[in-house]
Amino acid sequence: MSEVSVIVPIYNQREMLPATLGSLIRQDFADLEIVAVDDASTDGGAQRACEILSRGGRNYKLIRLGKNVGCSSARNRGLRESSGRYVLFFDGDDMAETGFISALHASITENGGDFASCGYKTHDPLSGEVKDFPLVAPEGLSMEEVLELRILNKLDIPHCATLYRKDFLTGSAIAYKDGCSAGEDVEFLIKVLCRANKCSFVPDCLYIYVQHEAMGSRAEIKNRKKKIERYLHHTEAHFREAEYIRRNASGKGPRLLAEDMLLPLAYLRLLSYFAMSGQRERFDALLSSKDIRRAILKSRGAFFIKPEVFLRGCAALLLPSLYYSKYSGYAGR
């Protein structure tokens, strides 16, 4: 059994693996297990990972999936097969500073929390540009307040720059949504924040998001069909987040935000998806439902927090043809 397991889903990232896995091998934390999950790569990535890990001097597992299941399912498989007391999810094309895991481990053990997160930086290899995004939170926040700030996008907690107690995740049945390819990271974090009793933050920017043209979010934005699919997955994640918060959040504040902001926004995004994909009949049918219209209008309860959701709802309800026309061209038609 290792103290920390790092779960790395890999899919057609052969050329990035030396930097990614190398940055994990070079961590100054000793008791580390690397769990690489190859999601049926077609570029020889599994063999490349095996070569790097076998000579890296670290405990490791290489799991080869027989078919492509997506990053969410790959992460879940890695979580099930990891042996660490703590776990961390690491993207297959990113990097980390040498003291990344040590800092998070010190924070979570010293504070006795369910998770610890740190800041991150973005790095563009072509331009050399580096931007820092420190994780700075007010002192003495309750978990309810942390959840509210994350719902409102006022506290950026990166899910890959976070170390979790494995028994907390498994005991709370927290996992990624199988098959979800967009919004799965925020949904996972919302589940964590709903269930956690305590957390800690390290302001230092220790995780490195590498920006490149082959990365999934950028590559799929150039493909209209993939872009619309990602938008739908993100929308479905909003519905699940709202329901999870309503069922599991301990405080009244997050539940009100779920009902007055997240759920109305999810319905508005669903209307937008129908417009993007040319489904006018489904668009009109959704708007004709009194229950849906009532749910959208509940956004007035969050007007002074997120006025744009209420205003967008008014546009959809009062000017549906204009709303449909606007979003029908949104995905680059």
Side-chain angles (χ1 to χ4, degrees):
M1 180 175 180
S2 300
E3 181 71 0
V4 173
S5 293
V6 184
I7 298 159
V8 189
I10 298 167
Y11 179 65
N12 288 350
Q13 294 162 317
R14 185 178 188 277
E15 299 307 315
M16 289 87 162
L17 291 178
T20 297
L21 296 179
S23 76
L24 293 175
I25 290 169
R26 290 189 296 273
Q27 289 294 304
D28 61 14
F29 188 81
D31 194 3
L32 175 67
E33 172 192 53
I34 301 172
V35 182
V37 186
D38 181 70
D39 193 14
S41 294
T42 58
D43 66 346
Q47 182 60 35
R48 186 69 173 273
C50 183
E51 294 168 358
I52 296 168
L53 292 171
S54 64
R55 60 173 182 262
R58 295 285 192 174
N59 292 330
Y60 75 91
K61 292 178 182 176
L62 177 59
I63 303 166
R64 304 184 192 220
L65 302 182
K67 64 177 181 178
N68 181 252
V69 295
C71 62
S72 292
S73 297
R75 288 172 181 145
N76 289 338
R77 175 69 179 274
L79 177 61
R80 289 194 298 271
E81 300 205 20
S82 63
S83 68
R85 181 182 177 193
Y86 300 97
V87 295
L88 190 150
F89 300 97
F90 201 95
D91 283 349
D93 52 0
D94 288 335
M95 299 171 63
E97 301 290 356
T98 305
F100 169 59
I101 294 174
S102 291
L104 289 176
H105 184 265
S107 180
I108 199 170
T109 53
E110 289 171 10
N111 290 281
D114 296 312
F115 71 91
S117 303
C118 69
Y120 66 94
K121 63 185 67 176
T122 59
H123 171 56
D124 188 327
L126 292 180
S127 67
E129 183 180 23
V130 177
K131 292 183 180 179
D132 287 349
F133 298 87
L135 180 51
V136 180
E139 292 286 337
L141 287 177
S142 67
M143 286 309 306
E144 179 180 346
E145 290 170 324
V146 172
L147 175 57
E148 287 183 12
L149 289 173
R150 184 60 193 86
I151 293 171
L152 294 169
N153 292 320
K154 292 183 177 180
L155 184 60
D156 188 5
I157 304 173
H159 90 292
C160 277
T162 299
L163 184 67
Y164 308 92
R165 273 183 34 232
K166 183 179 178 180
D167 62 353
F168 160 69
L169 294 181
T170 56
S172 303
I174 295 174
Y176 292 89
K177 176 65 177 177
D178 287 329
C180 183
S181 63
E184 80 290 347
D185 49 353
V186 175
E187 180 185 359
F188 183 89
L189 199 54
I190 290 293
K191 294 176 183 177
V192 167
L193 295 177
C194 282
R195 295 299 191 102
N197 292 313
K198 189 177 182 182
C199 68
S200 57
F201 300 126
V202 177
D204 302 340
C205 304
L206 303 175
Y207 189 88
I208 306 170
Y209 284 105
V210 181
Q211 312 289 297
H212 56 85
E213 289 304 310
M215 64 191 294
S217 56
R218 283 193 183 182
E220 291 183 354
I221 280 174
K222 296 179 180 180
N223 180 312
R224 184 173 188 275
K225 183 178 179 181
K226 285 288 187 182
K227 184 177 180 180
I228 293 175
E229 181 183 290
R230 285 180 62 86
Y231 191 90
L232 176 60
H233 283 206
H234 215 143
T235 300
E236 292 170 339
H238 273 304
F239 279 110
R240 292 191 298 268
E241 288 165 23
E243 183 62 21
Y244 197 91
I245 292 168
R246 288 163 64 183
R247 288 178 178 271
N248 297 286
S250 58
K252 183 179 179 181
R255 293 198 299 271
L256 284 175
L257 285 174
E259 294 177 3
D260 295 350
M261 192 190 80
L262 282 181
L263 190 58
L265 180 58
Y267 279 120
L268 289 169
R269 287 181 61 97
L270 187 57
L271 286 169
S272 302
Y273 165 73
F274 288 149
M276 290 178 199
S277 54
Q279 301 184 63
R280 184 60 194 252
E281 289 185 5
R282 297 189 71 183
F283 177 92
D284 291 337
L286 191 67
L287 269 183
S288 68
S289 166
K290 290 182 179 180
D291 289 340
I292 303 304
R293 295 173 71 88
R294 191 178 299 115
I296 291 174
L297 283 173
K298 284 211 72 176
S299 60
R300 67 183 178 273
F303 179 78
F304 292 104
I305 301 172
K306 282 283 185 179
E308 59 268 31
V309 179
F310 178 70
L311 295 175
R312 181 174 169 182
C314 290
L317 296 174
L318 299 176
L319 302 165
S321 291
L322 184 61
Y323 188 96
Y324 185 90
S325 177
K326 171 181 170 61
Y327 283 96
S328 64
Y330 176 77
R333 176 176 287 168

